[in-house]
Amino acid sequence: MSVSSSVKAPVKALRGQIVSLRGNPFLHPSAECLTHHPDGLVIIADGHITAAGPWETTAPLLPAGVTPVHYPDHLIMPGFIDTHVHYPQIQMIGAYGEQLLEWLNTYTFVTEQQFADRAHADRVAKVFLRELLRVGTTTAVVYCTVHPQSVEAFFAESARLNTRMIAGKVLMDRNAPAPLLDTAQRGYDESAALIARWHGQGRQLYCVTPRFAPTSTEAQLDAAGALLRDHPGVYLQTHLCENKGEIEWVRELFPERRSYLDVYDHAGLVGPRSVFGHAIHMHEDDFCTCHARGAALAFCPTSNLFLGSGLFRLDAATDPARPVRVGLGTDVGGGTSLSQLQSLNEAYKVVALSGGRLDAVRAFWLATLGGAEALYLDDRLGKVAPGYEADLVVIDPKATPFMAFRSEYCTSLEEQLFTLMTLGDDRAVRATWVAGECVHDRDAA
């Protein structure tokens, strides 16, 4: 048990099993990276965890009159982190029958044109954020559309809920329908205005967002690099090496670059707080570049399987000789669920098909502390520990009759976590807490 600074009112507390990661299980033995208190207490004040540990040693720290919210037989974990998702695409999730490039033209670009309407963006942002909280995701790296109002709608709703979100306006100045195109200068100007309005306001963070290399000219990619230089601390997100046809298209558009990643590197887009979605068909030189620059990759298993894009090489990405930061992404609407439990279900299969194994400790690291490390937020997110922001998910391992039956035969915490990631979904999320407030309660009226 450990304690941060003195507890201040108002104080809230949660009691249940505490499960959290304290280290990277891709670099250290999994058993050494797991923290577990079978009967634990989390004390919260001013949106932060002030104490966390075993009930018997932490309960004396409770101020008089504070009664913990008790979740018996439930797991209190850090809120899940989604490192790659498109909020405008929730209305087209499960669209049938295309690979990446055809899917973009047939579904995505048609859908995103609707976000010129602020009222539509407001409605979808509300649904999206509520669904994230319902599945236990408390932080996400989010693509909006080319329309500034889509970003305004998203951040306004996130600010209302007090969620820590990272998002940005998509930049596209070619190879997309005319209503979705901006220019290099307009994209810079609109992004700069959104950064001034939202980056660091409350819990909101801005992400410079060129969709992917084929939809941006070199001038626009250079403008994205200028945004990063002119606004230190903002993020960069884009897509990388998702689909073989896409990679060939990039080669045709940028023949002078030695790789897809080099297109971004030439524009100054590869560095800390850069998050590259998918990165399936990567070469060793590019892994080394990401390691050296501190860039992160978003592993999006349900999307990669659904669109037939390929198998992410998790073992290669996390090679201890030159580990790359990796987080877990749903990539809705290419992905088929916002639930990170479902993402982990498919992640296990992707790794198995690639000849590896993904144990439960490594899996939950990807969804929590690993995602926080990918985003350089591991000093405040991803752990149930003093000083951390009180973004928590309460998991019910007996959420369905069958899960309850299966739990009877779990002989270790690791086995229980593994059954959660193979059998669990939104029904397993009993409650979600954001900055110390319960924002979703499955069992509430």
Side-chain angles (χ1 to χ4, degrees):
M1 186 275 296
S2 52
V3 185
S4 71
S5 59
S6 59
V7 175
K8 301 175 183 178
V11 174
K12 297 184 180 180
L14 285 66
R15 182 179 182 181
Q17 289 193 60
I18 298 175
V19 179
S20 183
L21 277 293
R22 61 175 178 264
N24 185 343
F26 289 94
L27 302 179
H28 308 284
S30 291
E32 296 177 6
C33 298
L34 191 64
T35 296
H36 179 219
H37 301 300
D39 184 12
L41 179 67
V42 182
I43 303 176
I44 300 165
D46 300 321
H48 289 74
I49 297 169
T50 59
W55 168 261
E56 62 272 15
T57 57
T58 311
L61 302 174
L62 274 172
V66 176
T67 301
V69 180
H70 194 191
Y71 296 105
D73 301 321
H74 289 58
L75 310 181
I76 301 171
M77 304 181 70
F80 298 137
I81 296 172
D82 188 338
T83 56
H84 184 104
V85 62
H86 300 253
Y87 100 81
Q89 295 180 16
I90 60 167
Q91 67 194 71
M92 49 166 283
I93 188 172
Y96 170 74
E98 303 285 358
Q99 289 203 342
L100 174 64
L101 299 181
E102 297 80 12
W103 180 84
L104 284 172
N105 287 309
T106 304
Y107 302 113
T108 304
F109 291 155
V110 174
T111 296
E112 292 192 0
Q113 291 180 54
Q114 298 175 40
F115 287 77
D117 177 0
R118 173 62 190 266
H120 181 75
D122 285 337
R123 176 174 181 257
V124 176
K126 285 181 171 65
V127 173
F128 173 80
L129 282 160
R130 280 294 172 191
E131 284 300 300
L132 280 190
L133 297 173
R134 200 172 63 80
V135 297
T137 295
T138 52
T139 291
V141 186
V142 182
Y143 288 69
C144 302
T145 69
V146 73
H147 312 97
Q149 57 266 40
S150 74
V151 186
E152 294 281 356
F154 179 80
F155 276 137
E157 182 64 10
S158 178
R160 190 180 72 81
L161 294 166
N162 200 25
T163 45
R164 182 169 288 287
M165 291 288 158
I166 304 168
K169 164 194 145 61
V170 165
L171 303 171
M172 293 196 294
D173 65 349
R174 65 170 172 177
N175 294 326
L180 292 180
L181 295 179
D182 55 14
T183 65
Q185 187 62 54
R186 197 178 99 213
Y188 178 97
D189 292 342
E190 291 177 344
S191 297
L194 289 163
I195 290 168
R197 176 161 166 74
W198 288 109
H199 185 65
Q201 296 301 308
R203 305 187 77 204
Q204 313 313 308
L205 298 168
Y206 195 83
C207 198
V208 177
T209 307
R211 174 174 235 110
F212 69 153
T215 50
S216 287
T217 60
E218 286 197 66
Q220 185 166 74
L221 294 175
D222 289 342
L227 284 165
L228 297 182
R229 292 190 300 274
D230 295 344
H231 303 278
V234 300
Y235 287 78
L236 179 285
Q237 66 180 345
T238 190
H239 297 78
L240 175 67
C241 295
E242 180 178 0
N243 172 282
K244 290 182 178 179
E246 166 211 15
I247 294 169
E248 185 56 38
W249 192 17
V250 171
R251 187 176 292 115
E252 294 169 1
L253 292 170
F254 300 90
E256 69 282 10
R257 302 290 163 238
R258 66 179 181 273
S259 71
Y260 195 160
L261 184 67
D262 188 48
V263 173
Y264 298 133
D265 197 21
H266 184 76
L269 305 182
V270 183
R273 294 179 301 280
S274 297
V275 183
F276 296 101
H278 306 293
I280 298 168
H281 308 286
M282 290 266 282
H283 298 296
E284 177 60 22
D285 286 349
D286 290 337
F287 281 124
C288 290
T289 298
C290 289
H291 166 74
R293 303 289 177 76
L297 307 178
F299 176 19
C300 305
T302 73
S303 173
N304 299 157
L305 293 173
F306 183 72
L307 295 177
S309 300
L311 305 177
F312 179 73
R313 296 163 56 210
L314 182 62
D315 287 349
T318 56
D319 184 345
R322 48 105 191 94
V324 177
R325 295 168 186 256
V326 179
L328 190 68
T330 61
D331 191 38
V332 166
T336 53
S337 174
L338 288 170
S339 168
Q340 291 292 43
L341 296 175
Q342 287 292 288
S343 293
L344 291 177
N345 184 6
E346 300 306 310
Y348 174 83
K349 299 168 190 174
V350 167
V351 174
L353 285 169
S354 303
R357 291 292 181 269
L358 180 63
D359 67 48
V361 177
R362 287 181 167 188
F364 279 92
W365 181 85
L366 290 172
T368 57
L369 186 56
E373 288 188 358
L375 303 177
Y376 291 80
L377 294 174
D378 50 304
D379 61 337
R380 66 195 73 178
L381 297 179
K383 288 184 183 179
V384 184
Y388 278 70
E389 295 175 358
D391 293 348
L392 304 165
V393 59
V394 181
I395 299 292
D396 179 2
K398 301 177 181 178
T400 69
F402 183 65
M403 290 176 67
F405 171 79
R406 178 63 180 89
S407 292
E408 294 177 19
Y409 298 92
C410 290
T411 58
S412 67
L413 174 63
E414 289 82 357
E415 185 177 6
Q416 181 72 84
L417 291 173
F418 191 77
T419 61
L420 273 171
M421 68 184 250
T422 52
L423 302 178
D425 53 28
D426 58 297
R427 295 169 294 179
V429 176
R430 171 64 176 79
T432 305
W433 290 67
V434 166
E437 299 291 335
C438 185
V439 294
H440 167 70
D441 185 335
R442 184 195 65 193
D443 297 344

